[in-house]
Structure formats: structure tokens, C-alpha cells
Amino acid sequence: MTQEQFIKRYEKYDDAVQEYMRIISDALMQKYQDVPDIFIMTLDALAGNLTIMNKAMKTIAYEGGDIKGKDNYRGEKKSTELSAFLASQNNVIKLANIFGFTPMGRSKIRENTDAADINKYLQNLIS
């Protein structure tokens, strides 16, 4: 998938999610020269979790949401917004680690330098 197609896929998402997905797109383009179609499902899940995380944070921080909720049986509990934020944040971090977009995730991914060596070897043969 081209970068333009990838970015267009997320144009209806809010601005922050679009910015995150552009950053991810740039990283994928640098590594793969396009966005591999096999990644789309995981990247859609990432965009969805980013949306939930941002909406929950905005509700808590700016729209009068609270971190405490009320349970009719046990009293105070985490608010729905806080629970949604924490769950989506956890998912975002896990998905970002899978792609090596965090320092921890990057340290676990071994780069394959063989492809670069093969390309260099083929260029030498052609020249």
C-alpha cells in the first residue's frame, strides 16, 4: 500500500491520531518502501486504540470527566473513562512494541542486514 493510500485510510480520525499514523507511515516507508498490506489489520487496531485513548484523556482532562466512578454495590471505583484510557494505552504500547516503535520494542527486533548485503552483492555483479 502506498503512503498516500495509507494516510487516506485514517483521514476521518481526529487530528492527533492522523499525526501518529503519519509518523508510523514515515517509519514504515523508510524501512519497507511502502506499507505492507499484512500490517493493515494491526495498524487499524492501533489507530482505534489511539482514538479511544485520546477521547478518554480529553474527557478526563478537559470535559469534566473524573477518574473516580461510582459502583452501586462497592462504592467508588475507577471511572469508565479511566478504565478505557488505561486499557487502550496498554494496547497501544503493546502494538507499538510489536513494530519496534518504542526503545524496548526496537531492542528486541534484530535487523536483517543480509538483504542489504545481497543487494550490494547484486549491484557489484551487475556493474
Side-chain angles (χ1 to χ4, degrees), residues 42-43 45-50 52-53 83-99 102:
T42 307
L43 293 168
L46 179 61
N49 277 284
L50 285 167
I52 293 167
M53 186 179 81
S83 295
F85 173 78
L86 293 173
S88 61
Q89 181 186 45
N90 190 32
N91 290 335
V92 165
I93 290 169
K94 284 179 183 177
L95 293 170
N97 276 334
I98 289 169
F99 285 102
T102 64

Side-chain angles (χ1 to χ4, degrees), residues 2-60:
T2 66
Q3 187 170 25
E4 293 79 26
Q5 292 170 321
F6 181 76
I7 290 172
K8 185 175 175 125
R9 185 176 186 89
Y10 303 105
E11 69 185 7
K12 293 186 180 179
Y13 286 70
D14 67 12
D15 292 340
V17 174
Q18 287 182 39
E19 180 182 353
Y20 297 143
M21 297 313 284
R22 267 190 233 102
I23 292 167
I24 289 169
S25 165
D26 290 342
L28 291 173
M29 294 300 289
Q30 188 175 24
K31 189 169 186 173
Y32 299 105
Q33 286 70 47
D34 65 354
V35 179
D37 291 339
I38 195 73
F39 292 171
I40 296 301
M41 182 177 64
T42 307
L43 293 168
D44 283 352
L46 179 61
N49 277 284
L50 285 167
T51 299
I52 293 167
M53 186 179 81
N54 286 338
K55 284 185 179 183
M57 177 57 83
K58 284 179 187 174
T59 300
I60 292 169

